Amino acid sequence: MQFDTKIAVMIRTDLQAWQKLNVAAFLTSGIAAAFPECIGEPYEDASSTKYLSLIGQPILIYGADGPALSRALDRALSRNVKPAVYTEDMFKTTHDAANREAVRAVVRNDLNLVGLAIRAERKVVDKIVDGLKFHS
């Protein structure tokens, strides 16, 4: 199935494994919150056990260094794509309000980005992630 939109998550490659997973989880929750139409139907197994819905389209995960994340952020914003962001300072917080304050305390060009997530038309996402490789 071909989707009109694409979801891309970009994660800094020098993070520890637990940090990468944490960042991916938080960023995809931002996509789900902003685009409820991307959520599929609930799951059910053959025993009639019910499960939660998931995002109903593939999520592409790219690796990047800090400058590449900043470039992707600039590209997204210049194309009117609002990204989900995760900064290194957010690893030091313990709750959502503190996460928002950690981002609010830093001007955009000085954000120490560790991850971004976007959902937009396929061609727009391709231009934003141009030059990035899938995370390995």
Side-chain angles (χ1 to χ4, degrees), residues 10 35 68-87 103 106-111 113 115-120 124-125 127-129:
M10 296 150 271
F35 301 98
L69 286 172
S70 293
R71 185 172 52 253
L73 175 60
D74 290 341
R75 288 175 178 174
L77 295 173
S78 73
R79 289 169 173 79
N80 295 317
V81 174
K82 186 188 296 185
V85 298
Y86 202 100
T87 68
V103 174
V106 181
V107 297
R108 185 174 83 219
N109 289 338
D110 293 338
L111 289 173
L113 296 170
L116 297 171
I118 55 173
R119 180 178 184 258
V124 173
V125 171
K127 289 181 180 184
I128 293 168
V129 301

Side-chain angles (χ1 to χ4, degrees), residues 36-131:
E37 68 274 14
C38 77
I39 304 299
E41 295 296 319
Y43 286 74
E44 182 176 337
D45 65 25
S47 301
S48 296
T49 305
K50 299 194 183 322
Y51 303 98
L52 296 175
S53 301
L54 302 175
I55 291 176
Q57 70 182 92
I59 299 171
L60 304 172
I61 301 182
Y62 297 87
D65 60 13
L69 286 172
S70 293
R71 185 172 52 253
L73 175 60
D74 290 341
R75 288 175 178 174
L77 295 173
S78 73
R79 289 169 173 79
N80 295 317
V81 174
K82 186 188 296 185
V85 298
Y86 202 100
T87 68
E88 192 165 312
D89 292 335
M90 292 167 69
F91 288 127
K92 301 171 192 162
T93 66
T94 58
H95 56 88
D96 189 47
N99 284 344
R100 284 192 304 279
E101 187 54 39
V103 174
R104 188 181 356 263
V106 181
V107 297
R108 185 174 83 219
N109 289 338
D110 293 338
L111 289 173
N112 190 358
L113 296 170
V114 296
L116 297 171
I118 55 173
R119 180 178 184 258
E121 292 179 14
R122 298 178 64 78
K123 289 180 181 182
V124 173
V125 171
D126 289 343
K127 289 181 180 184
I128 293 168
V129 301
D130 186 47

